[in-house]
Amino acid sequence: LNKGRLTVNGSFITEAHVVARGFENRQVSASFLSEELDELNSGWQVVTGSCAGRPFKFGFHGHKDCLGVKMAMDFSSATFKVGNWTITVHGMPSCRGCLISGPHHRLDVSFAAHGGAPAIGPPHGLIGQSFATPGVARNGAVDVYPWEGEFTTRAQAEGAIEGAADMYQVASPYETTFAFSVFDAVKREESLASAHDAKSAVDASSIEWQHHRR
């Protein structure tokens, strides 16, 4: 960075894994793998997954509707829609003209909630906490890059998240168990959502989380 004056040792998101419950509480899982993106930042089997135990894969302009979970990819981005939640995964080059080593592509992940979805089942997780306190900014630790030299990222959003970052690690891509998981929690009554209908759309992004980490 800075015309070669600064070398940063850090990390990127390279895989995004989605697990959801479809109709009849049956499991749907899908993965967006940056390693499947080509030099044009697209690919033919970027998204792979399982629909109630049956495998699938798709890429450029592909789509899949599995038990009510709607998935689609355009050129380099894919959307995963589950009820009133939308997850968007966008692939891009890791660092144009400045990558020394590491993956050539990275992912940015964003979440959007509509229709009072957060009130139905209060979310948690590194990004999910942004939806648990609408209107309240969560500002955590961020790395401050020097102008030159070598720098290793350290900040992990301390102060913006509950607990520490390693408490959110899971054992495998589709595992849902971690210290603050609410995936298996009993949903609140639908009526609780009406109190939050005015806040009908909320957004959060992994870009903000990555800035905390670097």
Side-chain angles (χ1 to χ4, degrees):
L1 300 179
N2 300 337
K3 297 183 178 181
R5 295 184 178 90
L6 175 64
T7 298
V8 177
N9 302 307
S11 61
F12 294 113
I13 295 175
T14 58
E15 298 181 3
H17 306 283
V18 178
V19 59
R21 292 193 182 95
F23 297 144
E24 299 179 350
N25 220 30
R26 301 172 75 184
Q27 182 167 309
V28 180
S29 57
S31 297
F32 187 118
L33 307 176
S34 68
E35 64 182 16
E36 293 294 338
L37 296 170
D38 57 24
E39 64 276 5
L40 299 177
N41 205 39
S42 190
W44 296 104
Q45 48 186 21
V46 179
V47 178
T48 62
S50 174
C51 178
R54 301 181 65 177
F56 65 83
K57 63 177 61 176
F58 63 86
F60 178 67
H61 282 184
H63 60 88
K64 179 73 175 178
D65 188 341
C66 172
L67 301 172
V69 179
K70 300 181 183 297
M71 299 164 272
M73 183 172 178
D74 51 26
F75 190 81
S76 58
S77 299
T79 56
F80 305 85
K81 297 182 179 181
V82 186
N84 285 333
W85 290 93
T86 299
I87 303 169
T88 302
V89 183
H90 180 59
M92 62 185 65
S94 296
C95 187
R96 295 183 185 275
C98 60
L99 184 68
I100 297 175
S101 64
H104 292 283
H105 291 87
R106 67 180 176 89
L107 305 179
D108 282 342
V109 184
S110 63
F111 293 69
H114 305 277
I120 297 173
H124 211 295
L126 291 173
I127 298 176
Q129 289 173 81
S130 299
F131 296 92
T133 54
V136 179
R138 288 175 172 265
N139 298 312
V142 296
D143 286 313
V144 178
Y145 289 9
W147 176 252
E148 60 185 2
E150 184 169 341
F151 181 79
T152 299
T153 59
R154 300 180 182 83
Q156 296 188 329
E158 296 91 340
I161 61 174
E162 185 174 1
D166 59 6
M167 299 174 72
Y168 296 81
Q169 294 179 1
V170 292
S172 60
Y174 301 128
E175 178 59 66
T176 60
T177 301
F178 63 95
F180 307 106
S181 176
V182 294
F183 188 83
D184 294 313
V186 178
K187 289 186 177 181
R188 290 187 178 185
E189 295 293 331
E190 293 284 343
S191 59
L192 291 179
S194 60
H196 294 263
D197 281 346
K199 304 180 181 67
S200 59
V202 188
D203 296 277
S205 170
S206 67
I207 299 174
E208 299 171 3
W209 163 239
Q210 289 184 69
H211 286 172
H212 288 315
R213 294 186 68 232
R214 292 176 184 173

